[in-house]
């Protein structure tokens, strides 16, 4: 994440990378013992829900094209492209184009990632690296934006692993889950503390007020899903009066196979929704 980006724009670009890098969006995605994640392609339409605060914007729009594939034996690959436009008023438009790809070992032992960003036709330094779980710690080796090697605490989880934990917690009836997550965002060194709040399960038989292509799909109709809100906190930021404001929060409905719908991203100054406009199931090779 380039430090020159305005905070709201940085949040919009890179929190979506975190979400959909994990299967959120994300926002954006194996599942625990209940079954594998679903290989799929989804298109999300971004729009402004509301604006507030000193950095308020007057309009936002964009699209995310997200591809997720893999299995528990070959690992999971996530690819997405997000193009978004923020209008801060008085004709000031900020256009961002983010391309991200990652591969994660199903056991959470290895994570490879690459993120390329263009802002108003200006390229930011790409982020390219690999993280390996070694003993009681994780070693990160960055190629870009600068060659660097550093260690993270062993309790840190990677994006797909994060979704795996959320689904397992939801199945166990837990309503709160705290995790520390590394996804390669920012300059490749950012670590987030996250708080997930999980709502009551929604059975596939329940009527849906706002259906979309995922809920109309035959493979999805019978699946349970949960309303989830994940708040992301900068691990290195100092809290005031014992409380810390999240950098951003994302809400979505998470299916038991890792698919996410009804995305809402809250960046404190404004809120963006991501409505699924297209959904296709992809062929996947079963483990031998």
């Amino acid at each position: 994440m380039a430090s020159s980006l305005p905070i709201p724009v940085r949040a919009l670009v890179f929190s979506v990378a975190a979400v959909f890098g994990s299967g959120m969006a994300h926002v954006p995605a194996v599942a625990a013992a209940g079954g594998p994640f679903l290989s799929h392609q989804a298109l999300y339409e971004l729009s402004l829900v509301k604006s507030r605060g000193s950095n308020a914007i007057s309009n936002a729009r964009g699209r995310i094209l997200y591809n997720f594939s893999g299995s528990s034996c070959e690992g999971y690959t996530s690819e997405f492209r997000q193009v978004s436009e923020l209008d801060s008023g008085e004709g000031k438009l900020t256009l961002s184009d983010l391309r991200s790809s990652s591969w994660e070992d199903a056991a959470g032992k290895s994570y490879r990632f690459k993120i390329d960003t263009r802002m108003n036709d200006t390229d930011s330094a790409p982020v390219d690296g690999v993280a390996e779980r070694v003993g009681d710690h994780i070693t990160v080796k960055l190629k870009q934006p600068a060659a660097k090697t550093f260690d993270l605490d062993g309790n840190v989880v990677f994006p797909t692993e994060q979704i795996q934990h959320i689904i397992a917690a939801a199945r166990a009836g837990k309503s709160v889950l705290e995790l520390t997550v590394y996804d390669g965002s920012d300059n490749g060194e950012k670590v987030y503390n996250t708080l997930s709040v999980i709502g009551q399960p929604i059975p596939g038989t329940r009527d849906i007020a706002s259906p979309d292509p995922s809920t109309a799909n035959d493979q999805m109709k019978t699946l349970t899903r949960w309303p989830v809100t994940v708040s992301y906190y900068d691990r290195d930021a100092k809290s005031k009066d014992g409380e810390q404001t999240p950098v951003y929060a994302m809400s979505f409905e998470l299916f038991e196979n890792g698919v996410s719908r009804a995305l809402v991203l809250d960046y404190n100054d404004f809120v963006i929704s991501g409505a699924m406009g297209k959904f296709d199931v992809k062929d996947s090779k079963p483990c031998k």
Side-chain angles (χ1 to χ4, degrees):
M1 188 185 303
S3 59
S4 59
L5 301 184
I7 291 298
V9 178
R10 292 167 59 189
L12 177 59
V13 171
F14 288 97
S15 64
V16 173
V19 169
F20 286 92
S22 67
M24 158 359 89
H26 289 310
V27 190
V30 345
F37 273 8
L38 181 70
S39 295
H40 65 283
Q41 182 182 83
L43 178 69
Y44 296 83
E45 301 283 353
L46 303 177
S47 60
L48 181 67
V49 175
K50 59 182 175 181
S51 185
R52 59 186 179 233
S54 58
N55 291 320
I57 62 173
S58 58
N59 193 24
R61 62 178 182 173
R63 280 186 171 183
I64 295 169
L65 180 62
Y66 172 66
N67 283 283
F68 179 87
S69 61
S71 66
S72 58
C73 52
E74 64 183 18
Y76 298 93
T77 298
S78 298
E79 296 180 342
F80 79 91
R81 183 180 181 185
Q82 176 207 347
V83 178
S84 57
E85 181 183 82
L86 294 183
D87 185 350
S88 57
E90 300 179 355
K92 296 179 181 179
L93 299 178
T94 301
L95 180 66
S96 66
D97 187 346
L98 168 69
R99 301 177 191 224
S100 173
S101 62
S102 65
W103 175 87
E104 186 174 335
D105 172 70
K109 295 181 179 179
S110 181
Y111 176 58
R112 298 195 300 263
F113 53 92
K114 186 173 183 180
I115 303 171
D116 292 292
T117 311
R118 176 180 287 267
M119 300 292 299
N120 290 338
D121 296 324
T122 300
D123 290 328
S124 300
V127 179
D128 187 356
V130 60
E132 301 281 352
R133 197 175 297 276
V134 182
D136 62 352
H137 66 278
I138 294 171
T139 297
V140 180
K141 295 181 180 179
L142 294 178
K143 298 178 182 178
Q144 292 177 297
K148 186 174 184 179
T149 299
F150 57 92
D151 290 337
L152 300 175
D153 192 275
N155 64 2
V156 171
V157 301
F158 302 133
T160 304
E161 190 179 6
Q162 176 192 15
I163 298 298
Q164 182 180 15
H165 281 293
I166 293 175
I167 292 174
R171 285 199 174 113
K174 297 181 180 179
S175 59
V176 176
L177 178 66
E178 294 185 69
L179 294 169
T180 305
V181 180
Y182 176 78
D183 58 25
S185 61
D186 199 17
N187 58 358
E189 300 180 46
K190 179 69 68 177
V191 177
Y192 288 101
N193 292 329
T194 70
L195 175 65
S196 298
V197 177
I198 306 167
Q200 293 297 309
I202 304 171
T205 54
R206 183 179 299 177
D207 291 338
I208 301 173
S210 301
D212 61 34
S214 69
T215 58
N217 183 275
D218 289 339
Q219 295 189 40
M220 306 290 291
K221 287 180 178 180
T222 61
L223 297 182
T224 299
R225 62 190 190 276
W226 295 268
V228 178
T229 297
V230 184
S231 297
Y232 283 75
Y233 299 85
D234 186 343
R235 189 190 62 169
D236 299 324
K238 294 182 179 180
S239 61
K240 296 181 180 180
D241 301 325
E243 294 186 6
Q244 186 180 357
T245 300
V247 178
Y248 60 90
M250 59 189 186
S251 300
F252 51 99
E253 291 183 2
L254 178 62
F255 287 90
E256 55 189 312
N257 63 358
V259 175
S260 297
R261 68 175 298 272
L263 172 65
V264 177
L265 305 173
D266 189 337
Y267 307 101
N268 299 317
D269 289 317
F270 60 96
V271 179
I272 298 288
S273 69
M276 185 180 288
K278 187 177 180 181
F279 177 79
D280 295 302
V281 177
K282 300 171 62 177
D283 292 334
S284 60
K285 298 179 181 179
C287 289
K288 297 181 180 180

